[in-house]
């Protein structure tokens, strides 16, 4: 009797998921990272407003990361087209200057290669740079287009601005109705889900309602040492939404560590980082929003332990760990350090971690989140198999 | 910027609190998910997704918030990163 209608929940979830996938096909920018991303790629590449990633070898070769602003300037943090294009360099202007940021040792080779591709003299390119600055500069040389394309009115900067200002969904009246239905579905899903959790947790039992007042119930919940993972997860989901709402950031933990490390490395070994793309541009020095989040996480975890009375200082005393690796604390430290370094390195490659990519990216339906999740579980299961061997 | 940092710390406190209460700070729960003996992590992560996903799309549709900027997916990078990440996660149990 109790289990008779359980299948409804996964089924409803699947249907809603499929509907949402069709709905977002309309062209919402979909992707995520722990690190602060640029608006350049969101509009130009993801939404396809004047995409350039495949035009010209200089774009192709630098498309691995969010490097647009390194050469072109502008404000990669602004979503508004007009604000983002302030001080933009549409033409490849300061050739030596831009390249020099990363390629200090092989500057001449780089400049000469691209100068040949662009069909201009490297020396002249440097000179023309000084004259052709400003947002009104034309995009011809840079985009590798001939003047006929532009005079046909296809890719002028004005057009780009106009296209970026109107959200893509607004153009399609069908989406208005679809949005309403989906909102209804989402409300139903939220209500149904929370009812299901509440019932499973026993909050709806007659005893639970009659005996405990709300305040007392809250206090008791806070004091509980381990919540049901469903409750804690739902709480985290609300936090993720709140962080987007309050400060337009995704909650990612690994980005904070990376930014702290980058700040340290950049101040201590500035000579070594001069040529390192990662430390200069992907994760530049300076404490990011995520670094502050990390401080909060530390105290939040402590608060959680204090409220449940489980706070005490200890070396490793997890019985399962001791059974597998032995009780010596140094093993825990060594394996913990090496493993965490591997973990952080992986997060650096993927551009996120479990919190920043899987949960925060997943809630925006970013494909990267699900790819990351698949990779994580695959290698995690294999590693656990190797570590535990027969005890698996 | 200052208010942003304060918001970050507050969100961090709530985040750490949720992780602690969900049992995500213990070794056995994290490794358990890779051994299929303890599925706390899956339950936690997916219920967070199930709340956040409809919630954020709903709020966006109502016009209350706008999506943050998000960079494009790098298929190889995300997969390889995930593979490396999984090794570290199963080793440390963090």
């Amino acid at each position: 009797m109790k289990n008779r209608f359980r299948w409804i929940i996964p089924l409803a979830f699947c249907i809603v998921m499929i509907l949402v996938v069709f709905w977002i096909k309309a062209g919402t920018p979909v992707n995520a990272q722990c690190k602060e991303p640029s608006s350049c790629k969101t509009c130009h590449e993801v939404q396809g407003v004047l995409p350039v990633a495949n035009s010209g070898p200089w774009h192709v070769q630098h498309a691995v990361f969010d490097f647009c602003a390194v050469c072109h300037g502008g404000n990669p943090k602004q979503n508004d087209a007009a604000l983002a294009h302030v001080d933009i360099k549409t033409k490849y202007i300061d050739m030596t200057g831009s390249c020099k940021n990363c390629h200090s040792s092989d500057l001449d080779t780089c400049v000469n290669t691209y100068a040949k591709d662009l069909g201009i003299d490297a020396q002249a390119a440097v000179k023309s740079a000084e004259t052709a600055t400003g947002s009104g500069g034309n995009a011809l040389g840079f985009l590798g287009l001939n003047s006929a394309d532009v005079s046909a009115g296809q890719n002028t900067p004005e057009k780009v601005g106009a296209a970026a200002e109107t959200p893509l969904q607004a153009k399609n009246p069908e989406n208005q109705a679809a949005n309403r239905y989906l909102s209804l579905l989402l409300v139903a899903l939220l209500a149904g889900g929370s009812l299901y959790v509440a019932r499973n947790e026993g909050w709806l039992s007659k005893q639970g309602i009659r005996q405990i007042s709300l305040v007392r119930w809250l206090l008791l919940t806070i004091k509980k040492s381990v919540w049901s993972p469903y409750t804690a997860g739902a709480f985290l989901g609300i936090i993720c939404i709140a962080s987007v709402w309050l400060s337009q950031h995704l909650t990612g933990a690994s980005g904070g560590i990376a930014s702290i490390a980058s700040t340290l490395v950049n101040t201590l070994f500035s000579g070594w980082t001069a040529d390192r793309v990662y430390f200069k541009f992907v994760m530049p020095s300076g404490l990011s929003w995520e670094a502050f989040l990390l401080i909060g996480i530390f105290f939040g975890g402590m608060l959680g332990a204090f409220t449940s009375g489980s706070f005490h200082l200890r070396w490793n005393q997890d019985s399962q760990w001791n059974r597998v690796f032995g009780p010596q604390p140094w093993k825990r430290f060594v394996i913990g350090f090496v493993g965490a370094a591997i973990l952080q390195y992986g997060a650096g490659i993927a551009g996120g971690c479990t919190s920043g990519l899987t949960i925060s990216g997943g809630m925006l339906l970013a494909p990267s989140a699900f790819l990351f999740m698949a990779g994580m579980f695959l290698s995690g299961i294999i590693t656990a198999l190797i570590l535990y061997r027969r005890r698996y | 910027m200052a208010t942003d940092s304060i918001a970050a710390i507050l969100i961090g406190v709530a985040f750490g609190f949720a992780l602690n209460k969900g049992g995500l700070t213990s070794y056995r729960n994290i490794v358990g998910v890779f051994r299929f003996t303890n599925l706390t992590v899956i339950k936690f992560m997916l219920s967070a997704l199930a709340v956040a996903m409809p919630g954020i799309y709903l709020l966006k549709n109502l016009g209350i918030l706008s999506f943050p900027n998000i960079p494009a997916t790098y298929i190889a990078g995300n997969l390889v990163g995930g593979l490396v990440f999984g090794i570290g996660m199963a080793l440390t149990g963090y």
Side-chain angles (χ1 to χ4, degrees), chain A residues 175-215:
Chain A
N175 274 327
Q176 299 292 335
N179 283 353
R180 244 168 260 143
Y181 293 130
L182 265 156
S183 304
L184 268 177
L185 264 174
L186 293 179
V187 170
L189 185 77
L190 268 178
S194 47
L195 257 176
Y196 178 73
V197 170
R199 215 196 64 167
N200 268 19
E201 293 287 295
W203 295 338
L204 295 185
S205 66
K206 274 181 192 159
Q207 245 186 348
I209 292 173
R210 209 184 306 150
Q211 271 186 348
I212 305 175
S213 73
L214 190 68
V215 180

Side-chain angles (χ1 to χ4, degrees), chain A residues 273-315:
Chain A
T273 53
D275 261 3
R276 299 296 188 285
V277 170
Y278 185 83
F279 287 112
K280 277 210 90 170
F281 298 110
V282 181
M283 193 60 76
S285 110
L287 292 182
S288 64
W289 188 87
E290 283 86 5
F292 289 100
L293 185 79
L294 215 57
I295 300 169
I297 290 176
F298 177 77
F299 287 108
M302 231 182 199
L303 184 75
F306 268 123
T307 49
S308 54
S310 62
F311 181 86
H312 43 230
L313 293 170
R314 59 187 157 192
W315 308 120

